[in-house]
Amino acid sequence: MIETIIEKSGVLKPIAEKIYEGQRLSIDEGLELFNINNLSLLASLAVWRKKQISGNKVFFNRNFHIEPTNICMFACKFCSYRRKRGQNSAWDFDIPEMLDLCRKYEGKNLSEVHIVGGVHPDRNLDFYTELLRGIKTILPQIHIKAFTAVELDYMINKAGLSIEKGLEKLKESGLDSIPGGGAEIFDEKIRQQICGDKAPAQIWLKIHEIAHKIGLPSNATMLFGHIETYRHRIEHLELLRRLQDETGGFNAFIPLKYSNANNRMSSIGEIGITEVMKNFAVSRLYLDNIAHIKSYWPMLGKGTAQLSMNYGVDDMDGTIDDSTKIYSMAGSEETSPAMTVSEIRDLISAAGFVAAERDSLYNEIV
Ligand code: V47
Ligand code: SF4
């Protein structure tokens, strides 16, 4: 079957053969996959590759989010979520409020909490270590995946610690892994234009590198579909692939499609579904050393996320329980994102795959 597909792959045949033989793609080959429009070939190759890694399984977990604040000292142009202090619709939870939220989930058998928010100028490392310890008291079994490299850079610098010491302190307080946010696009020129005031790419990569070295795994994201070119995307993937060669600490890659509602880049239109699928497939094929490609359904919508499983995706994130606002504020059709376990299982099996519940480290929960 795959041999027939390769035989019919036309100008992409040399690249298709390389993929089949397990050889690494070069930057130029990655670009060729983007530039030559052959979506059905990309889908076949990406699903074939996905099946080598995770068979027919597509993973999900039972999770919820805590978004401590949307007050942020940075001003990323694509952000629909950030508010200034005192502005309408700004929020800023204190620790008791966030712990009350966690109490809602006692006895519910959730395996992960994802914490992400704005970079609040008054918050510091002590505040967040206290939060982590509090969560572990209420939900001792939960895996805490928390704080983007941008949030970490701010709190660790403010505490006057090295990245290593700061991460160690958070780990001792209960941090189990780091989410992939804040990566945006690593190219410095594009980064300057869309989020010039926050941590540069080198800091993002350094924080993840050190995290991996001290035993904190992480995810990686890429914000795409705005002013970047295919080359910027491939170079972003290349930097992740190199770091992964060194540390092996990335669990999953999550491409995040730019949503254009209510932000300072709204004049840029949103890319269409074909481009989104192409990006999933090329990411699956280029990142030969990152095991999982995640489709983040609260952002894409359930239907698009479901389709993406046929473009190399093997992870649908989680049940969420209507606990994130980032994407509804950016215009996502999922205005109250929540799925029951049986809904998420049905979504996966209707796409032709076998739903597998996982923990945060991709061990299957049976
Ligand atoms: O870094 C902000 C993105 C990210 C918009 O690790 C936007 O499992 C699209 O990283 N359009 C934060 N995207 C969320 C994040 C994440 C999400 C799901 C799972 C994981 C994980 C991580 O949200 C930011 C930024 O790239 N974002 N605004 C927007 N208008
Ligand atoms: Fe702040 Fe994050 Fe929004 Fe940037 S994306 S303005 S860092 S909340």
Side-chain angles (χ1 to χ4, degrees), residues 180-331:
E184 322 312 356
I185 273 283
F186 291 145
D187 179 86
E188 279 308 335
K189 283 203 186 102
I190 301 293
R191 206 172 172 87
Q192 270 304 319
Q193 290 178 60
I194 64 170
C195 57
D197 56 351
K198 76 179 182 190
Q202 285 319 314
I203 295 285
W204 190 99
L205 290 160
K206 192 41 108 192
I207 288 177
H208 283 257
E209 178 191 329
I210 295 175
H212 298 171
K213 288 183 175 161
I214 68 160
L216 283 171
S218 71
N219 290 335
T221 58
M222 173 175 77
L223 182 70
F224 72 102
H226 42 89
I227 57 168
E228 89 292 354
T229 62
Y230 287 149
R231 179 168 286 279
H232 296 130
R233 289 192 213 167
I234 287 289
E235 286 172 354
H236 187 100
L237 301 182
E238 173 66 22
L239 287 169
L240 292 174
R241 196 170 71 173
R242 279 193 212 158
L243 180 53
Q244 181 74 340
D245 275 344
E246 209 184 303
T247 66
F250 288 119
N251 282 330
F253 175 66
I254 310 138
L256 297 169
K257 186 203 86 163
Y258 166 66
S259 302
N260 77 343
N262 311 314
N263 62 49
R264 290 189 297 140
M265 292 183 2
S266 289
S267 60
I268 299 172
E270 288 186 19
I271 58 168
I273 196 162
T274 300
E275 274 301 313
V276 175
M277 296 305 141
K278 188 196 264 188
N279 191 74
F280 275 121
V282 177
S283 303
R284 173 60 291 161
L285 296 170
Y286 199 83
L287 293 173
D288 54 9
N289 56 1
I290 298 187
H292 305 288
I293 305 289
K294 183 188 285 194
S295 191
Y296 192 55
W297 66 266
M299 179 195 73
L300 291 170
K302 289 175 194 165
T304 306
Q306 188 176 38
L307 186 65
S308 69
M309 291 179 249
N310 279 294
Y311 293 84
V313 161
D314 74 340
D315 184 19
M316 293 290 286
D317 199 81
T319 46
I320 309 281
D321 199 41
D322 194 12
S323 53
T324 176
K325 290 197 182 136
I326 300 182
Y327 297 104
S328 51
M329 290 170 85

Side-chain angles (χ1 to χ4, degrees), residues 99-110:
L99 296 184
D100 275 348
L101 195 74
C102 292
R103 282 192 192 92
K104 248 180 64 185
Y105 296 104
E106 271 177 300
K108 292 245 170 88
N109 223 7
L110 300 192

Side-chain angles (χ1 to χ4, degrees), residues 3 6 31 37 47 77 161 166 184 196 230 276 278 309 365:
E3 289 83 355
I6 292 170
L31 278 172
N37 291 318
V47 170
K77 285 192 186 152
L161 296 175
E184 322 312 356
Y230 287 149
V276 175
K278 188 196 264 188
M309 291 179 249
I365 299 175

Side-chain angles (χ1 to χ4, degrees), residues 70 72-76 78-79 81-82 117-119 150 184 198:
N70 64 346
C72 186
M73 52 192 290
F74 298 122
C76 304
F78 53 80
C79 183
Y81 165 85
R82 168 231 187 207
V119 181
V150 173
E184 322 312 356
K198 76 179 182 190

